[in-house]
Coordinates of all heavy atoms in Angstrom, one line a residue:
G93 N -13.4 16.9 28.7 CA -14.0 18.1 28.1 C -13.1 18.9 27.1 O -13.5 20.0 26.7
G94 N -12.0 18.4 26.8 CA -11.1 19.1 25.8 C -10.6 20.4 26.4 O -10.9 20.8 27.5
A95 N -9.8 21.1 25.6 CA -9.3 22.4 26.0 C -10.5 23.4 26.2 O -10.4 24.3 27.1 CB -8.3 23.0 25.0
R96 N -11.5 23.3 25.5 CA -12.6 24.2 25.6 C -13.3 24.2 27.0 O -13.8 25.2 27.4 CB -13.7 23.9 24.5 CG -13.4 24.5 23.2 CD -14.7 24.5 22.3 NE -14.4 25.0 21.0 CZ -14.5 26.2 20.6 NH1 -14.8 27.2 21.4 NH2 -14.3 26.5 19.3
A97 N -13.3 23.0 27.6 CA -13.8 23.0 29.0 C -13.0 23.9 29.9 O -13.5 24.5 30.8 CB -13.9 21.6 29.5
F99 N -11.5 26.6 29.0 CA -11.9 28.0 28.8 C -12.8 28.5 29.8 O -12.8 29.7 30.2 CB -12.5 28.2 27.4 CG -11.6 27.9 26.2 CD1 -12.1 28.0 24.9 CD2 -10.3 27.7 26.4 CE1 -11.3 27.8 23.8 CE2 -9.4 27.5 25.3 CZ -10.0 27.5 24.0
W122 N -7.8 30.6 18.7 CA -8.1 29.9 20.0 C -8.0 30.8 21.2 O -8.8 30.7 22.1 CB -7.1 28.7 20.1 CG -7.6 27.6 19.2 CD1 -6.9 27.1 18.2 CD2 -8.8 26.9 19.3 NE1 -7.6 26.1 17.6 CE2 -8.8 25.9 18.2 CE3 -9.9 26.9 20.1 CZ2 -9.8 25.0 18.0 CZ3 -11.0 26.0 19.9 CH2 -10.9 25.1 18.8
C169 N -2.0 32.0 24.4 CA -1.9 30.7 23.6 C -0.6 30.8 22.9 O -0.5 31.5 21.9 CB -3.1 30.5 22.7 SG -3.0 29.0 21.7
N171 N 0.9 28.8 20.9 CA 0.9 28.3 19.5 C -0.5 28.2 19.0 O -1.3 27.4 19.5 CB 1.5 26.9 19.4 CG 1.7 26.5 18.0 OD1 2.6 26.9 17.2 ND2 0.8 25.5 17.5
T173 N -3.0 27.0 16.7 CA -3.0 25.8 15.8 C -3.6 26.1 14.4 O -3.2 25.5 13.4 CB -4.0 24.7 16.5 OG1 -3.7 24.7 17.9 CG2 -3.7 23.3 15.9
D193 N -2.6 28.1 27.1 CA -3.3 27.0 26.4 C -2.1 26.5 25.5 O -1.9 27.0 24.4 CB -4.4 27.6 25.5 CG -5.0 26.6 24.6 OD1 -4.5 25.4 24.6 OD2 -6.0 26.9 23.9
S195 N -2.1 23.6 24.0 CA -2.7 22.4 23.3 C -1.8 21.9 22.2 O -1.7 20.7 22.0 CB -4.1 22.7 22.8 OG -5.0 22.9 23.9
S196 N -1.3 22.8 21.3 CA -0.6 22.3 20.2 C 0.9 22.3 20.3 O 1.7 22.1 19.3 CB -1.1 23.0 18.9 OG -1.2 24.3 19.1
T214 N -5.0 20.0 25.3 CA -5.9 18.9 24.9 C -5.0 17.8 24.2 O -4.0 18.1 23.7 CB -7.0 19.5 24.0 OG1 -8.0 18.5 23.8 CG2 -6.4 19.9 22.6
Q216 N -5.3 15.4 21.7 CA -5.3 14.8 20.4 C -4.2 15.4 19.4 O -4.4 15.3 18.2 CB -6.7 14.9 19.8 CG -7.2 16.3 19.5 CD -8.0 16.9 20.7 OE1 -7.8 16.5 21.8 NE2 -8.7 18.0 20.4
K217 N -3.1 15.9 20.0 CA -2.1 16.4 19.1 C -0.8 15.6 19.5 O -0.4 14.7 18.9 CB -1.9 17.9 19.2 CG -3.2 18.6 18.7 CD -3.4 19.9 19.4 CE -4.8 20.4 19.2 NZ -5.4 20.4 17.9
Ligands
PMP404 N1 -6.9 25.4 22.0 C1 -6.1 25.1 21.0 C2 -4.8 25.8 20.8 C3 -6.4 24.1 20.1 O1 -5.6 23.8 19.0 C4 -7.7 23.4 20.3 C5 -8.1 22.3 19.3 N2 -7.7 22.3 18.1 C6 -8.5 23.8 21.3 C7 -8.1 24.8 22.1 C8 -9.8 23.1 21.6 O2 -9.6 21.8 22.0 P1 -10.8 20.8 22.2 O3 -11.5 20.7 20.9 O4 -10.2 19.5 22.6 O5 -11.7 21.4 23.2

Side-chain angles (χ1 to χ4, degrees):
R96 274 196 188 269
F99 292 176
W122 287 113
C169 179
N171 186 75
T173 321
D193 176 358
S195 290
S196 42
T214 191
Q216 64 270 19
K217 297 151 198 308

